[in-house]
Amino acid sequence: IAIGMAPFLMNACACLVVLLINRSMQRYGGDDALTAYGIVNSVVFFFLMIVMGLNQGMQPIAGYNWGAHKNDRVWQVLRYTMVAGTIVTTLGFLIGMVCPKLPAMAFTKDEHIISMAAHGFRICVLIFPLVGGQIVVSHFFQSIGHAGKSIFLSLSRQLIFLIPGMLILPNFFGLDGVWYSLPFADTMSCIIAATMLWWQVRRIRSKEETRV
């Protein structure tokens, strides 16, 4: 139950966050902004689902070798998955920076909505290259049995940073504030994930040196 709680809470919070974002988009930008967010969310989710698939492949390998005390293999599969996840999200970042209108054009022919979606997509993927690694780290803690850390990382982006950012930033930047709350939350959660991973790796390697 503890290990499965992380993805459960992450999905539950994602539903709550989408509800709140939809209401904020409707409030500050109307139906067109709501439609644009639906397009952007679908495109972003496409890249995130690929990273989720990589995580599902990593978890049994990391978990098995962690239990067998083969830490070199654990770090190896973690590195491979983080590199693969980063490549996937970097591709999303490049599309958002170079041709943000292209994905939106697959959903609608309305130029106004395409323009809004392109603007929002470009903001959402500002730090997307780092997001892949953050997601991998969260699932990595789950795979080695550190459910508490995984749950915290799963909730930090959505509850601790995204919701407050979404409530505060629109008061200063309007509709753009809703969009900017997404990369803001991603930035903060990436910093936390990197810090926790560095601390965990340092702690484990310190124990290994002590045994030697």
Side-chain angles (χ1 to χ4, degrees):
I1 291 175
I3 293 174
M5 190 61 65
F8 167 74
L9 291 175
M10 184 171 63
N11 288 321
C13 288
C15 294
L16 174 62
V17 166
V18 169
L19 174 63
L20 293 176
I21 292 178
N22 283 342
R23 293 186 63 181
S24 297
M25 289 289 176
Q26 179 74 42
R27 177 182 177 185
Y28 292 100
D31 290 341
D32 286 351
L34 193 60
T35 303
Y37 172 70
I39 293 172
V40 172
N41 190 49
S42 298
V43 176
V44 169
F45 197 65
F46 171 79
F47 291 99
L48 296 183
M49 285 301 294
I50 298 175
V51 179
M52 292 293 185
L54 293 171
N55 283 330
Q56 290 180 1
M58 172 197 70
Q59 286 180 311
I61 300 173
Y64 176 85
N65 286 286
W66 178 261
H69 302 290
K70 297 179 179 179
N71 291 343
D72 288 344
R73 291 186 177 182
V74 174
W75 306 134
Q76 186 179 35
V77 72
L78 175 62
R79 284 194 300 270
Y80 286 160
T81 311
M82 290 187 69
V83 169
T86 300
I87 291 173
V88 171
T89 51
T90 299
L91 177 61
F93 167 80
L94 292 175
I95 293 174
M97 294 297 110
V98 177
C99 50
K101 288 187 177 182
L102 189 61
M105 292 171 64
F107 291 85
T108 181
K109 295 181 179 179
D110 189 313
E111 287 296 330
H112 179 59
I113 293 177
I114 290 174
S115 181
M116 291 185 71
H119 177 68
F121 185 37
R122 180 167 283 172
I123 293 174
C124 285
V125 298
L126 280 175
I127 67 153
F128 216 43
L130 302 179
V131 172
Q134 188 271 338
I135 297 173
V136 171
V137 171
S138 174
H139 286 76
F140 170 73
F141 280 119
Q142 179 187 349
S143 66
I144 63 174
H146 291 214
K149 295 183 178 69
S150 181
I151 291 172
F152 174 74
L153 288 175
S154 298
L155 297 181
S156 64
R157 177 186 182 271
Q158 297 169 340
L159 289 184
I160 300 177
F161 300 117
L162 182 54
I163 292 178
M166 193 166 45
L167 295 176
I168 296 172
L169 293 179
N171 295 322
F172 299 96
F173 305 105
L175 179 59
D176 278 354
V178 183
W179 289 115
Y180 277 112
S181 65
L182 297 166
F184 164 74
D186 288 335
T187 301
M188 300 305 296
S189 59
C190 285
I191 292 173
I192 290 178
T195 303
M196 291 179 65
L197 180 63
W198 171 81
W199 181 84
Q200 185 69 39
V201 171
R202 183 180 179 184
R203 182 183 178 188
I204 293 171
R205 288 183 173 172
S206 176
K207 289 182 178 179
E208 291 175 346
E209 291 174 359
T210 301
R211 290 196 199 100
V212 174

